[in-house]
Amino acid sequence: MNEELTGRLRAAAEAHQPDRARILARVERGMSGAPVRHRESSGARPWPRIALASLAAAGTLAVGGFAVAAIVQSPPARPDVSATPAAPSAPSVPSGTPRPTPPTPSAPATGRPTTPDRSSPTGPSPSASGAAGSARPGNAHVQDGPLSSAGSLGTNSNSFWAQSNITLKSTQPLTALTVELRITQTGAVQSTGSWRTLPAEDFTVTVQNEGGAVVYRWILKPGRTVPAGQHVFAGQYNHAAGAREVEHDGYRVDAHGPRGALSVWGGFTPAR
């Protein structure tokens, strides 16, 4: 039984007004055909019959009222529906509860990679005063014992392209060597290559943009040796049109020989 039928029955029950006189008349007509066992005197009134008819009518009304009330009040049958359990929701967090903040990854370190300690046979660590790019005529250190150096701009350089040369001289063999060339970014500086007079398979070569400069590095591989003599390391690059100032460019060389750690650094002289 749906909700619409239930509402219609309820409305019919509330609007129903029984016709008591009609019901009593129908009861009397039904009882008039029954056999009479005792004759009543002509002067006696039929009060027992009227009372019985009234009780029967009242009972009929009561039973009918209960039936209608039971139909109206009984809830409609629900169809069988297999309920699917809802997925458990995550527990709510109070607004005042602080939420954990994921750790922020630290920014990668920039600048030159850490070089070995001066006492290490793989090469010394450059001092702050001799960092490549800070070399000036007043603070250059171009010779350290058997090792000497010089920086110059190649004669084949022009208004759009240049080559910076580092010339090393050593009177003793070297068992460790790191050569760094730093070309300051003065506009459109971009590496076009590099070379050295020593065997290419003896060195690891990198070119990177670091701290506003293009940095070339040549690192002697473990177990290799640089013989005594003169050696050249060169970096080539494009640059903005026009004459380029080289006063902010610089180089640094860290080596290890029979006397121990050696370091030289300096700047570049313009091509003549």
Side-chain angles (χ1 to χ4, degrees):
M1 182 180 297
N2 54 30
E3 295 182 359
E4 181 182 358
L5 180 58
T6 302
R8 295 174 63 181
L9 289 174
R10 183 182 291 110
E14 293 176 354
H16 177 69
Q17 295 182 358
D19 189 347
R20 184 175 179 180
R22 184 178 180 183
I23 293 174
L24 290 177
R26 291 181 62 183
V27 172
E28 288 183 355
R29 284 197 304 270
M31 295 181 63
S32 62
V36 180
R37 296 182 179 180
H38 303 284
R39 294 182 61 87
E40 297 177 353
S41 59
S42 59
R45 295 181 178 179
W47 287 111
R49 181 181 301 176
I50 294 174
L52 181 59
S54 298
L55 289 175
T60 301
L61 292 176
V63 173
F66 288 151
V68 173
I71 293 174
V72 172
Q73 294 179 1
S74 59
R78 295 182 178 180
D80 292 336
V81 179
S82 57
T84 303
S89 58
S92 60
V93 180
S95 58
T97 303
R99 290 178 168 81
T101 302
T104 302
S106 58
T110 58
R112 299 180 56 190
T114 304
T115 55
D117 185 75
R118 293 183 63 90
S119 60
S120 171
T122 58
S125 174
S127 62
S129 61
S134 64
R136 301 291 184 274
N139 64 2
H141 179 69
V142 297
Q143 185 166 359
D144 187 0
L147 183 64
S148 61
S149 64
S152 64
L153 194 64
T155 57
N156 54 347
S157 300
N158 55 51
S159 299
F160 302 93
W161 178 91
Q163 175 178 300
S164 296
N165 302 326
I166 304 170
T167 302
L168 297 181
K169 293 181 181 180
S170 179
T171 60
Q172 298 178 355
L174 305 174
T175 56
L177 178 64
T178 298
V179 179
E180 178 180 300
L181 166 63
R182 183 176 292 265
I183 306 299
T184 303
Q185 181 61 260
T186 54
V189 175
Q190 184 177 9
S191 173
T192 59
S194 65
W195 57 269
R196 88 273 87 222
T197 56
L198 291 167
E201 60 271 15
D202 288 353
F203 288 86
T204 299
V205 183
T206 60
V207 181
Q208 303 178 39
N209 293 312
E210 298 178 4
V214 177
V215 181
Y216 300 76
R217 287 191 183 91
W218 297 265
I219 302 175
L220 184 66
K221 294 179 180 179
R224 309 298 174 91
T225 302
V226 175
Q230 178 174 301
H231 313 289
V232 179
F233 296 82
Q236 301 171 331
Y237 49 91
N238 290 328
H239 60 78
R244 182 179 176 277
E245 298 294 336
V246 298
E247 60 180 0
H248 297 293
D249 300 342
Y251 70 88
R252 181 181 177 93
V253 179
D254 296 304
H256 200 279
R259 291 183 49 186
L262 305 169
S263 294
V264 292
W265 58 86
F268 294 89
T269 58
R272 295 181 183 180

mmCIF file of all heavy atoms in Angstrom, residues 62-102:
data_model
loop_
_atom_site.group_PDB
_atom_site.id
_atom_site.type_symbol
_atom_site.label_atom_id
_atom_site.label_comp_id
_atom_site.label_asym_id
_atom_site.label_seq_id
_atom_site.Cartn_x
_atom_site.Cartn_y
_atom_site.Cartn_z
ATOM 1 N N ALA A 62 -17.920 1.388 16.085
ATOM 2 C CA ALA A 62 -16.614 1.284 16.756
ATOM 3 C C ALA A 62 -15.675 0.372 15.982
ATOM 4 O O ALA A 62 -14.503 0.683 15.776
ATOM 5 C CB ALA A 62 -16.810 0.758 18.187
ATOM 6 N N VAL A 63 -16.211 -0.803 15.560
ATOM 7 C CA VAL A 63 -15.377 -1.746 14.802
ATOM 8 C C VAL A 63 -14.915 -1.110 13.491
ATOM 9 O O VAL A 63 -13.756 -1.226 13.076
ATOM 10 C CB VAL A 63 -16.149 -3.055 14.546
ATOM 11 C CG1 VAL A 63 -15.353 -3.957 13.607
ATOM 12 C CG2 VAL A 63 -16.388 -3.767 15.866
ATOM 13 N N GLY A 64 -15.834 -0.431 12.803
ATOM 14 C CA GLY A 64 -15.449 0.226 11.546
ATOM 15 C C GLY A 64 -14.415 1.307 11.754
ATOM 16 O O GLY A 64 -13.477 1.467 10.968
ATOM 17 N N GLY A 65 -14.578 2.060 12.865
ATOM 18 C CA GLY A 65 -13.590 3.112 13.154
ATOM 19 C C GLY A 65 -12.219 2.553 13.426
ATOM 20 O O GLY A 65 -11.207 3.071 12.974
ATOM 21 N N PHE A 66 -12.195 1.447 14.201
ATOM 22 C CA PHE A 66 -10.880 0.822 14.486
ATOM 23 C C PHE A 66 -10.222 0.310 13.221
ATOM 24 O O PHE A 66 -8.993 0.388 13.052
ATOM 25 C CB PHE A 66 -11.079 -0.329 15.478
ATOM 26 C CG PHE A 66 -11.407 0.161 16.882
ATOM 27 C CD1 PHE A 66 -12.176 -0.617 17.728
ATOM 28 C CD2 PHE A 66 -10.957 1.411 17.316
ATOM 29 C CE1 PHE A 66 -12.471 -0.179 19.004
ATOM 30 C CE2 PHE A 66 -11.259 1.837 18.595
ATOM 31 C CZ PHE A 66 -12.027 1.053 19.457
ATOM 32 N N ALA A 67 -11.019 -0.255 12.306
ATOM 33 C CA ALA A 67 -10.440 -0.803 11.065
ATOM 34 C C ALA A 67 -9.838 0.306 10.213
ATOM 35 O O ALA A 67 -8.741 0.186 9.669
ATOM 36 C CB ALA A 67 -11.512 -1.555 10.276
ATOM 37 N N VAL A 68 -10.592 1.413 10.094
ATOM 38 C CA VAL A 68 -10.072 2.531 9.302
ATOM 39 C C VAL A 68 -8.833 3.116 9.929
ATOM 40 O O VAL A 68 -7.847 3.422 9.275
ATOM 41 C CB VAL A 68 -11.171 3.600 9.136
ATOM 42 C CG1 VAL A 68 -10.578 4.853 8.463
ATOM 43 C CG2 VAL A 68 -12.315 3.050 8.317
ATOM 44 N N ALA A 69 -8.857 3.251 11.275
ATOM 45 C CA ALA A 69 -7.680 3.810 11.968
ATOM 46 C C ALA A 69 -6.483 2.918 11.791
ATOM 47 O O ALA A 69 -5.349 3.379 11.607
ATOM 48 C CB ALA A 69 -7.993 4.007 13.450
ATOM 49 N N ALA A 70 -6.712 1.606 11.851
ATOM 50 C CA ALA A 70 -5.586 0.665 11.696
ATOM 51 C C ALA A 70 -4.999 0.767 10.297
ATOM 52 O O ALA A 70 -3.789 0.705 10.098
ATOM 53 C CB ALA A 70 -6.056 -0.764 11.974
ATOM 54 N N ILE A 71 -5.884 0.924 9.275
ATOM 55 C CA ILE A 71 -5.396 1.028 7.901
ATOM 56 C C ILE A 71 -4.622 2.310 7.701
ATOM 57 O O ILE A 71 -3.561 2.351 7.077
ATOM 58 C CB ILE A 71 -6.578 0.942 6.924
ATOM 59 C CG1 ILE A 71 -7.199 -0.449 6.966
ATOM 60 C CG2 ILE A 71 -6.128 1.278 5.504
ATOM 61 C CD1 ILE A 71 -8.455 -0.571 6.143
ATOM 62 N N VAL A 72 -5.126 3.429 8.280
ATOM 63 C CA VAL A 72 -4.492 4.728 8.096
ATOM 64 C C VAL A 72 -3.153 4.808 8.802
ATOM 65 O O VAL A 72 -2.169 5.314 8.294
ATOM 66 C CB VAL A 72 -5.437 5.844 8.581
ATOM 67 C CG1 VAL A 72 -4.704 7.177 8.570
ATOM 68 C CG2 VAL A 72 -6.673 5.908 7.712
ATOM 69 N N GLN A 73 -3.105 4.252 10.047
ATOM 70 C CA GLN A 73 -1.894 4.394 10.856
ATOM 71 C C GLN A 73 -0.825 3.398 10.464
ATOM 72 O O GLN A 73 0.333 3.579 10.815
ATOM 73 C CB GLN A 73 -2.247 4.229 12.334
ATOM 74 C CG GLN A 73 -3.133 5.350 12.858
ATOM 75 C CD GLN A 73 -3.482 5.143 14.325
ATOM 76 O OE1 GLN A 73 -3.039 4.180 14.928
ATOM 77 N NE2 GLN A 73 -4.285 6.058 14.875
ATOM 78 N N SER A 74 -1.204 2.290 9.823
ATOM 79 C CA SER A 74 -0.186 1.279 9.510
ATOM 80 C C SER A 74 0.758 1.834 8.453
ATOM 81 O O SER A 74 0.321 2.371 7.448
ATOM 82 C CB SER A 74 -0.845 -0.001 8.989
ATOM 83 O OG SER A 74 -1.592 0.292 7.824
ATOM 84 N N PRO A 75 2.084 1.787 8.655
ATOM 85 C CA PRO A 75 3.044 2.343 7.682
ATOM 86 C C PRO A 75 3.069 1.517 6.421
ATOM 87 O O PRO A 75 2.852 0.317 6.445
ATOM 88 C CB PRO A 75 4.386 2.248 8.427
ATOM 89 C CG PRO A 75 4.197 1.122 9.393
ATOM 90 C CD PRO A 75 2.765 1.166 9.800
ATOM 91 N N PRO A 76 3.326 2.153 5.286
ATOM 92 C CA PRO A 76 3.378 1.414 4.017
ATOM 93 C C PRO A 76 4.556 0.463 3.997
ATOM 94 O O PRO A 76 5.594 0.721 4.590
ATOM 95 C CB PRO A 76 3.541 2.526 2.974
ATOM 96 C CG PRO A 76 4.180 3.655 3.712
ATOM 97 C CD PRO A 76 3.616 3.587 5.103
ATOM 98 N N ALA A 77 4.316 -0.651 3.313
ATOM 99 C CA ALA A 77 5.389 -1.662 3.240
ATOM 100 C C ALA A 77 6.535 -1.134 2.417
ATOM 101 O O ALA A 77 6.343 -0.476 1.408
ATOM 102 C CB ALA A 77 4.842 -2.947 2.609
ATOM 103 N N ARG A 78 7.759 -1.389 2.880
ATOM 104 C CA ARG A 78 8.949 -0.923 2.169
ATOM 105 C C ARG A 78 9.500 -2.045 1.303
ATOM 106 O O ARG A 78 9.576 -3.173 1.759
ATOM 107 C CB ARG A 78 10.030 -0.486 3.151
ATOM 108 C CG ARG A 78 9.629 0.731 3.991
ATOM 109 C CD ARG A 78 10.766 1.132 4.895
ATOM 110 N NE ARG A 78 10.410 2.307 5.671
ATOM 111 C CZ ARG A 78 11.221 2.880 6.554
ATOM 112 N NH1 ARG A 78 12.428 2.355 6.736
ATOM 113 N NH2 ARG A 78 10.842 3.934 7.206
ATOM 114 N N PRO A 79 9.892 -1.718 0.085
ATOM 115 C CA PRO A 79 10.504 -2.769 -0.747
ATOM 116 C C PRO A 79 11.863 -3.150 -0.206
ATOM 117 O O PRO A 79 12.555 -2.335 0.398
ATOM 118 C CB PRO A 79 10.620 -2.096 -2.125
ATOM 119 C CG PRO A 79 10.691 -0.633 -1.827
ATOM 120 C CD PRO A 79 9.812 -0.425 -0.606
ATOM 121 N N ASP A 80 12.225 -4.394 -0.406
ATOM 122 C CA ASP A 80 13.528 -4.877 0.066
ATOM 123 C C ASP A 80 14.622 -4.303 -0.824
ATOM 124 O O ASP A 80 14.677 -4.565 -2.018
ATOM 125 C CB ASP A 80 13.581 -6.424 0.010
ATOM 126 C CG ASP A 80 12.620 -7.024 1.030
ATOM 127 O OD1 ASP A 80 12.315 -6.322 2.010
ATOM 128 O OD2 ASP A 80 12.174 -8.174 0.811
ATOM 129 N N VAL A 81 15.476 -3.482 -0.226
ATOM 130 C CA VAL A 81 16.585 -2.866 -0.944
ATOM 131 C C VAL A 81 17.861 -3.222 -0.221
ATOM 132 O O VAL A 81 17.970 -3.006 0.982
ATOM 133 C CB VAL A 81 16.429 -1.329 -0.999
ATOM 134 C CG1 VAL A 81 17.617 -0.718 -1.723
ATOM 135 C CG2 VAL A 81 15.123 -0.956 -1.665
ATOM 136 N N SER A 82 18.772 -3.807 -0.947
ATOM 137 C CA SER A 82 20.045 -4.191 -0.325
ATOM 138 C C SER A 82 20.890 -2.946 -0.191
ATOM 139 O O SER A 82 21.332 -2.357 -1.159
ATOM 140 C CB SER A 82 20.774 -5.217 -1.206
ATOM 141 O OG SER A 82 20.972 -4.685 -2.486
ATOM 142 N N ALA A 83 21.072 -2.477 1.011
ATOM 143 C CA ALA A 83 21.836 -1.258 1.264
ATOM 144 C C ALA A 83 23.309 -1.537 1.151
ATOM 145 O O ALA A 83 23.808 -2.513 1.689
ATOM 146 C CB ALA A 83 21.501 -0.710 2.660
ATOM 147 N N THR A 84 23.971 -0.669 0.450
ATOM 148 C CA THR A 84 25.426 -0.787 0.322
ATOM 149 C C THR A 84 26.083 0.095 1.354
ATOM 150 O O THR A 84 25.821 1.298 1.399
ATOM 151 C CB THR A 84 25.880 -0.335 -1.081
ATOM 152 O OG1 THR A 84 25.199 -1.123 -2.051
ATOM 153 C CG2 THR A 84 27.390 -0.473 -1.239
ATOM 154 N N PRO A 85 26.924 -0.449 2.217
ATOM 155 C CA PRO A 85 27.533 0.376 3.266
ATOM 156 C C PRO A 85 28.416 1.441 2.658
ATOM 157 O O PRO A 85 29.149 1.190 1.709
ATOM 158 C CB PRO A 85 28.366 -0.646 4.072
ATOM 159 C CG PRO A 85 28.609 -1.773 3.121
ATOM 160 C CD PRO A 85 27.404 -1.836 2.259
ATOM 161 N N ALA A 86 28.291 2.641 3.183
ATOM 162 C CA ALA A 86 29.101 3.751 2.678
ATOM 163 C C ALA A 86 30.541 3.565 3.091
ATOM 164 O O ALA A 86 30.836 2.994 4.134
ATOM 165 C CB ALA A 86 28.562 5.082 3.230
ATOM 166 N N ALA A 87 31.439 4.061 2.235
ATOM 167 C CA ALA A 87 32.865 3.954 2.548
ATOM 168 C C ALA A 87 33.179 4.803 3.754
ATOM 169 O O ALA A 87 32.674 5.921 3.896
ATOM 170 C CB ALA A 87 33.695 4.423 1.350
ATOM 171 N N PRO A 88 33.984 4.303 4.666
ATOM 172 C CA PRO A 88 34.298 5.078 5.872
ATOM 173 C C PRO A 88 35.014 6.351 5.509
ATOM 174 O O PRO A 88 35.921 6.358 4.692
ATOM 175 C CB PRO A 88 35.211 4.124 6.654
ATOM 176 C CG PRO A 88 35.771 3.212 5.624
ATOM 177 C CD PRO A 88 34.713 3.037 4.619
ATOM 178 N N SER A 89 34.547 7.449 6.070
ATOM 179 C CA SER A 89 35.183 8.736 5.793
ATOM 180 C C SER A 89 36.334 8.953 6.743
ATOM 181 O O SER A 89 36.380 8.398 7.839
ATOM 182 C CB SER A 89 34.167 9.870 5.957
ATOM 183 O OG SER A 89 33.628 9.852 7.261
ATOM 184 N N ALA A 90 37.285 9.780 6.277
ATOM 185 C CA ALA A 90 38.448 10.060 7.109
ATOM 186 C C ALA A 90 38.025 10.854 8.323
ATOM 187 O O ALA A 90 37.139 11.705 8.257
ATOM 188 C CB ALA A 90 39.487 10.851 6.308
ATOM 189 N N PRO A 91 38.599 10.597 9.479
ATOM 190 C CA PRO A 91 38.217 11.325 10.684
ATOM 191 C C PRO A 91 38.497 12.806 10.533
ATOM 192 O O PRO A 91 39.516 13.208 9.981
ATOM 193 C CB PRO A 91 39.120 10.697 11.768
ATOM 194 C CG PRO A 91 40.258 10.108 11.003
ATOM 195 C CD PRO A 91 39.686 9.669 9.710
ATOM 196 N N SER A 92 37.529 13.603 10.961
ATOM 197 C CA SER A 92 37.701 15.046 10.851
ATOM 198 C C SER A 92 38.732 15.525 11.848
ATOM 199 O O SER A 92 38.865 14.999 12.937
ATOM 200 C CB SER A 92 36.361 15.747 11.102
ATOM 201 O OG SER A 92 35.887 15.425 12.392
ATOM 202 N N VAL A 93 39.456 16.553 11.441
ATOM 203 C CA VAL A 93 40.489 17.121 12.298
ATOM 204 C C VAL A 93 39.971 18.422 12.854
ATOM 205 O O VAL A 93 39.487 19.275 12.105
ATOM 206 C CB VAL A 93 41.787 17.361 11.490
ATOM 207 C CG1 VAL A 93 42.858 17.959 12.382
ATOM 208 C CG2 VAL A 93 42.256 16.059 10.889
ATOM 209 N N PRO A 94 39.986 18.636 14.153
ATOM 210 C CA PRO A 94 39.506 19.897 14.721
ATOM 211 C C PRO A 94 40.221 21.070 14.100
ATOM 212 O O PRO A 94 41.400 20.987 13.709
ATOM 213 C CB PRO A 94 39.831 19.746 16.221
ATOM 214 C CG PRO A 94 39.964 18.282 16.438
ATOM 215 C CD PRO A 94 40.469 17.725 15.168
ATOM 216 N N SER A 95 39.467 22.183 14.002
ATOM 217 C CA SER A 95 40.046 23.350 13.340
ATOM 218 C C SER A 95 41.255 23.880 14.080
ATOM 219 O O SER A 95 42.134 24.484 13.492
ATOM 220 C CB SER A 95 38.976 24.447 13.235
ATOM 221 O OG SER A 95 38.490 24.789 14.525
ATOM 222 N N GLY A 96 41.339 23.673 15.375
ATOM 223 C CA GLY A 96 42.458 24.188 16.153
ATOM 224 C C GLY A 96 43.656 23.288 16.170
ATOM 225 O O GLY A 96 44.700 23.637 16.726
ATOM 226 N N THR A 97 43.526 22.074 15.569
ATOM 227 C CA THR A 97 44.646 21.133 15.617
ATOM 228 C C THR A 97 45.649 21.467 14.536
ATOM 229 O O THR A 97 45.299 21.528 13.370
ATOM 230 C CB THR A 97 44.146 19.697 15.406
ATOM 231 O OG1 THR A 97 43.161 19.414 16.394
ATOM 232 C CG2 THR A 97 45.313 18.713 15.525
ATOM 233 N N PRO A 98 46.923 21.719 14.871
ATOM 234 C CA PRO A 98 47.912 22.030 13.826
ATOM 235 C C PRO A 98 48.196 20.824 12.974
ATOM 236 O O PRO A 98 48.286 19.707 13.464
ATOM 237 C CB PRO A 98 49.153 22.459 14.638
ATOM 238 C CG PRO A 98 48.979 21.781 15.956
ATOM 239 C CD PRO A 98 47.502 21.726 16.205
ATOM 240 N N ARG A 99 48.275 21.026 11.670
ATOM 241 C CA ARG A 99 48.592 19.945 10.749
ATOM 242 C C ARG A 99 50.091 19.910 10.513
ATOM 243 O O ARG A 99 50.722 20.944 10.404
ATOM 244 C CB ARG A 99 47.865 20.142 9.409
ATOM 245 C CG ARG A 99 46.366 19.927 9.524
ATOM 246 C CD ARG A 99 45.694 20.179 8.188
ATOM 247 N NE ARG A 99 44.321 19.722 8.189
ATOM 248 C CZ ARG A 99 43.314 20.403 8.691
ATOM 249 N NH1 ARG A 99 43.539 21.565 9.257
ATOM 250 N NH2 ARG A 99 42.074 19.913 8.646
ATOM 251 N N PRO A 100 50.667 18.725 10.396
ATOM 252 C CA PRO A 100 52.108 18.641 10.167
ATOM 253 C C PRO A 100 52.468 19.210 8.813
ATOM 254 O O PRO A 100 51.777 19.015 7.831
ATOM 255 C CB PRO A 100 52.382 17.125 10.230
ATOM 256 C CG PRO A 100 51.078 16.493 9.879
ATOM 257 C CD PRO A 100 50.020 17.402 10.452
ATOM 258 N N THR A 101 53.549 19.944 8.758
ATOM 259 C CA THR A 101 54.028 20.551 7.517
ATOM 260 C C THR A 101 55.102 19.677 6.914
ATOM 261 O O THR A 101 56.051 19.307 7.584
ATOM 262 C CB THR A 101 54.601 21.944 7.805
ATOM 263 O OG1 THR A 101 53.577 22.732 8.421
ATOM 264 C CG2 THR A 101 55.068 22.620 6.513
ATOM 265 N N PRO A 102 54.941 19.261 5.619
ATOM 266 C CA PRO A 102 55.969 18.400 5.016
ATOM 267 C C PRO A 102 57.288 19.121 4.965
ATOM 268 O O PRO A 102 57.345 20.341 4.785
ATOM 269 C CB PRO A 102 55.421 18.133 3.607
ATOM 270 C CG PRO A 102 54.482 19.245 3.347
ATOM 271 C CD PRO A 102 53.899 19.626 4.680
#
